Amino acid sequence: MAEETIIGIDLGTTNSEVAVIRDGRPVVLPGEDGDPILPSVVGLDPQGNLLVGKAARNQYVLAPERTIRSIKRKMGQETTVTLGDQKYTPQEISAIILRTLKRRAEAALGHPVSRAVITVPAFFNDGQRQATRQAGELAGLEVVRIINEPTAAVLTYDPHPTEMERLLVYDLGGGTFDVSLAQIENGVVEIRASHGDTQLGGDDFDQLLMDHICNEFRDEHGVDLRTLPASKARVLRAAEDAKKRLSSEPVTWVEEEFIAEKDGRPLNLKMEVHRHEFEELIRPLLLKTLTCLDQALSDGKVQAQQIDKVVLVGGATRTPLIHQLLEERLGRPVHSEIEPDLAVALGASVQGGLIAGIDLGPILVDITPHTLGIEALGELYGFMSHNHFSPIIERNTPLPASRTEIYSTVHDNQDGADIRIFQGENPDTRYNTLVGEFKVEGLAEVPAGNQILVRFDLDLSGILKVTATERATGLAKHVVIDSATERFRKRQRSDAVDRLDAMMSTAAEAGAPALPAPGVGEAAGAEPVDPELRTALEAAEVMRAKAERVLPSANAEDAEELRAMLDDLSTAVNAQAADRIRATLRELEDLVFYLEDA
Ligand code: AMP
């Protein structure tokens, strides 16, 4: 059925794209301006109307205070960004980008879309993945799977090579870096190892070049442009443009008129930048990427010369020094047969197609790039320590994965235990990342040595559920590692949806394509639908689908309540009353959320 389309979204730091399967092949969908790339930038125009994509990016130089870029770098953090006089969570800003892509897809397909596969860097942790899923929900999308960006890129390759192929995917985007080792054979795409850095990307190159330009300018004119927000934004933009030109030219000029003022006199910026100067600035960062590459090879137990193809993904891989360093390191030419900007979205749509039941060929076996475990009493640096990291799921384990380990209480009559969950590779938890914690209370009052089973379930999206059970009594407690979700309570979430609805009603994506008729209620015909109502109707469709999915597993009482709420929703939809739809949705959402979690 057409409504079953699962779109694939590459939600990038700098740019985002949406793709779908058409006639059995993945295609990236262009916006109204014909460009498939949507800059991941959100802003407000002087009248307070929402701008998304190019329109927002273009105003960044003039109004950095009204423009937000690189929000992906903040995903999963407990922070907000200010836009106009309001504060927004990273999820909300990302949701604006996702909704714009959703609308783009709906305009191209001619029917509503409610399900998506979204890609994340392989190195995103649970909190970052959960935040991505929430952003999808806020945008009215059920995120059916989160897949790793480099893995998505591999899905665009022929799954049936004549002989087994080993691919190395080097993915350097605006803000993140991943390197993955994949093996393709007989229709199975297997990810063998993954490594990376979630805080390294082409944006860092811009920053380094901007610093270089500002330092030179300061030495010449005694003015530090970084202290003037508008000038700084202009230099940053000019630095990014220069960086891109340096990918195809050995030397370029950076020119900005009236960039600052000194003693009432305007100052111009005019500077020549050579590619080799730029390369020296970024070389240390590129060497870091090679260290990750070595680690991935060693984890995958593969020699550099056994790699059959090197696949470049991400806009920043157009940098010639990257090609040169990789060719030196691997002793073979690198590939760029797939547009590095589009490969990830294309692969996401392949995964979406596979989930929707379209026979596309590849079967994906993905892995977790981190080791996950808990803090326990154990040996560290030759002593017993409470900071000992006890791994439960080792990195590079195929997904989904479930593992259980046994731990024991240390004290007699110990009635509780703290379960602190970490990810990382260090035997000392203080060097790893705490991804969640919870307490098991009410343990039996018995001598030390009471056994606690700790079970880790890591799903296909890389999201972890941890259960601790007292072996003797069966007393169990579990937590889904969603530190970001916990902070983002349900109540806040429906407020956020309302806020977003209001904002999106003014959205302009350099001419955002309008939604087709939503296909629900009586307004689905010729009448233009009020944007607020349209969004409420879309949300109603998504929620109805979710409710219907949990209905079969609900007990009789819950099922009855759910049906009653669905009836209320239908009444509100038929009445075309946005307020009533939203009120019913809020109730319904709480119940569905509870049932999904049960
Ligand atoms: P992505 O997140 O994959 O869209 O990659 C965006 C990053 O690629 C940004 O840092 C861009 O500045 C960078 N980029 C795009 N085109 C080029 C180019 N021709 N040369 C170097 N970097 C580029």
Side-chain angles (χ1 to χ4, degrees):
M1 231 173 77
E3 272 70 17
E4 263 307 300
T5 307
I6 300 178
I7 57 176
I9 294 182
D10 172 6
L11 181 62
T13 310
T14 320
N15 296 311
S16 298
E17 298 84 25
V18 58
V20 294
I21 301 295
R22 248 192 197 154
D23 303 325
R25 297 198 59 76
V27 285
V28 179
L29 301 173
E32 252 197 357
D33 58 358
D35 193 341
I37 291 175
L38 176 76
S40 309
V41 188
V42 171
L44 292 179
D45 74 6
Q47 287 71 45
N49 295 320
L50 184 67
L51 301 174
V52 187
K54 276 194 193 125
R57 192 188 59 190
N58 292 344
Q59 75 150 20
Y60 176 69
V61 171
L62 299 171
E65 73 290 352
R66 277 191 276 112
T67 316
I68 295 172
R69 354 183 306 159
S70 299
I71 194 66
K72 184 169 172 179
R73 289 189 157 191
K74 298 205 163 76
M75 288 293 270
Q77 291 176 18
E78 194 169 3
T79 182
T80 53
V81 289
T82 306
L83 191 57
D85 54 4
Q86 300 260 3
K87 286 194 171 2
Y88 296 91
T89 61
Q91 292 94 313
E92 287 179 283
I93 300 297
S94 295
I96 293 172
I97 298 165
L98 291 173
R99 266 204 202 189
T100 307
L101 293 171
K102 174 179 185 290
R103 287 182 177 185
R104 182 181 276 193
E106 287 171 332
L109 295 169
H111 62 75
V113 166
S114 62
R115 305 172 83 196
V117 170
I118 302 184
T119 59
V120 296
F123 256 62
F124 253 26
N125 65 29
D126 303 274
Q128 291 166 307
R129 283 166 198 261
Q130 288 284 2
T132 305
R133 177 161 275 175
Q134 285 160 5
E137 280 179 20
L138 290 180
L141 284 170
E142 183 200 347
V143 183
V144 292
R145 186 77 56 82
I146 289 177
I147 62 169
N148 297 332
E149 288 160 8
T151 311
V154 178
L155 285 177
T156 59
Y157 275 79
D158 174 13
H160 292 283
T162 40
E163 276 177 32
M164 188 261 272
E165 273 187 353
R166 288 199 184 89
L167 269 60
L168 185 117
V169 188
Y170 181 100
D171 179 358
L172 190 63
T176 56
F177 170 68
D178 278 321
V179 57
S180 297
L181 205 60
Q183 196 165 299
I184 307 186
E185 192 174 22
N186 299 330
V188 177
V189 175
E190 191 178 351
I191 305 298
R192 303 298 299 267
S194 228
H195 233 272
D197 188 332
T198 52
Q199 303 294 331
L200 195 163
D203 292 358
D204 297 304
F205 302 172
D206 305 342
Q207 202 71 37
L208 287 170
L209 188 54
M210 180 190 78
D211 279 334
H212 170 74
I213 296 168
C214 289
N215 289 343
E216 299 252 313
F217 191 87
R218 186 192 52 203
D219 293 349
E220 193 180 337
H221 300 287
V223 176
D224 190 338
L225 298 172
R226 284 161 291 200
T227 61
L228 311 166
S231 309
K232 180 179 167 191
R234 282 175 64 192
V235 183
L236 188 59
R237 172 84 184 255
E240 185 184 2
D241 290 344
K243 169 191 81 172
K244 289 183 184 166
R245 288 194 300 277
L246 287 173
S247 289
S248 50
E249 297 161 23
V251 59
T252 190
W253 283 91
V254 178
E255 287 184 78
E256 291 286 319
E257 290 198 338
F258 305 135
I259 189 83
E261 230 184 47
K262 192 178 180 190
D263 308 327
R265 204 167 42 84
L267 296 177
N268 298 331
L269 168 66
K270 187 161 197 255
M271 191 180 296
E272 203 180 27
V273 185
H274 286 258
R275 185 191 282 167
H276 66 82
E277 278 175 292
F278 171 66
E279 289 181 340
E280 289 325 301
L281 294 173
I282 63 168
R283 190 181 291 272
L285 295 184
L286 295 187
L287 293 180
K288 265 172 92 174
T289 69
L290 292 189
T291 309
C292 291
L293 186 155
D294 288 341
Q295 183 70 51
L297 288 176
S298 119
D299 284 354
K301 300 184 180 51
V302 169
Q303 308 282 327
Q305 59 275 18
Q306 290 176 296
I307 300 293
D308 299 300
K309 275 189 184 138
V310 181
V311 183
L312 296 180
V313 182
T317 57
R318 294 199 174 88
T319 312
L321 183 59
I322 293 180
H323 294 228
Q324 186 194 321
L325 290 175
L326 283 176
E327 285 178 6
E328 279 168 17
R329 177 72 189 80
L330 300 167
R332 59 164 33 262
V334 297
H335 262 255
S336 2
E337 64 217 17
I338 299 184
E339 267 290 299
D341 301 308
L342 307 183
V344 171
L346 289 169
S349 73
V350 171
Q351 180 65 67
L354 291 170
I355 296 172
I358 303 172
D359 181 14
L360 291 165
I363 298 166
L364 177 65
V365 182
D366 209 348
I367 52 146
T368 165
H370 314 281
T371 297
L372 292 155
I374 64 166
E375 191 169 65
L377 185 68
E379 200 182 301
L380 194 61
Y381 316 116
F383 299 96
M384 290 307 273
S385 163
H386 283 286
N387 298 113
H388 170 81
F389 179 51
S390 167
I392 295 183
I393 295 182
E394 298 280 353
R395 78 159 182 262
N396 296 331
T397 302
L399 299 181
S402 293
R403 299 268 190 289
T404 304
E405 288 289 333
I406 300 179
Y407 297 86
S408 306
T409 53
V410 185
H411 305 290
D412 292 344
N413 301 324
Q414 185 176 327
D415 60 358
D418 281 327
I419 309 288
R420 287 166 50 81
I421 304 137
F422 286 84
Q423 74 177 31
E425 311 308 323
N426 203 292
D428 184 342
T429 53
R430 285 167 294 189
Y431 295 101
N432 293 331
T433 311
L434 179 69
V435 293
E437 56 188 318
F438 67 103
K439 262 190 179 15
V440 202
E441 282 165 330
L443 297 176
E445 302 210 350
V446 293
N450 185 10
Q451 289 190 332
I452 313 282
L453 305 175
V454 178
R455 179 185 166 99
F456 275 28
D457 293 293
L458 193 59
D459 74 10
L460 286 165
S461 295
I463 290 171
L464 179 68
K465 179 177 164 188
V466 179
T467 313
T469 312
E470 185 179 35
R471 193 170 187 180
T473 62
L475 169 78
K477 174 128 191 208
H478 83 261
V479 64
V480 177
I481 302 309
D482 52 358
S483 27
T485 330
E486 267 168 20
R487 286 183 234 121
F488 197 79
R489 296 238 169 261
K490 280 185 279 172
R491 177 75 234 161
Q492 269 171 293
R493 198 167 63 192
S494 41
D495 287 352
V497 170
D498 289 351
R499 230 149 65 110
L500 221 69
D501 289 351
M503 282 183 94
M504 289 299 284
S505 62
T506 67
E509 178 220 327
L515 253 188
V520 241
E522 285 153 14
E527 282 287 301
V529 183
D530 155 40
E532 195 185 332
L533 174 61
R534 190 164 55 196
T535 321
L537 290 169
E538 276 182 76
E541 276 228 303
V542 173
M543 188 50 71
R544 179 183 299 284
K546 273 192 175 179
E548 281 166 359
R549 257 195 302 282
V550 294
L551 198 54
S553 51
N555 65 33
E557 197 182 326
D558 289 336
E560 191 181 337
E561 197 180 345
L562 201 57
R563 283 200 198 92
M565 284 183 184
L566 284 171
D567 286 348
D568 288 349
L569 184 65
S570 298
T571 313
V573 165
N574 289 335
Q576 300 284 297
D579 281 348
R580 271 174 59 199
I581 297 176
R582 266 204 300 274
T584 324
L585 281 179
R586 269 201 285 274
E587 283 181 30
L588 198 53
E589 186 182 31
D590 284 355
L591 183 60
V592 169
F593 192 87
Y594 157 73
L595 289 173
E596 275 180 338
D597 224 22

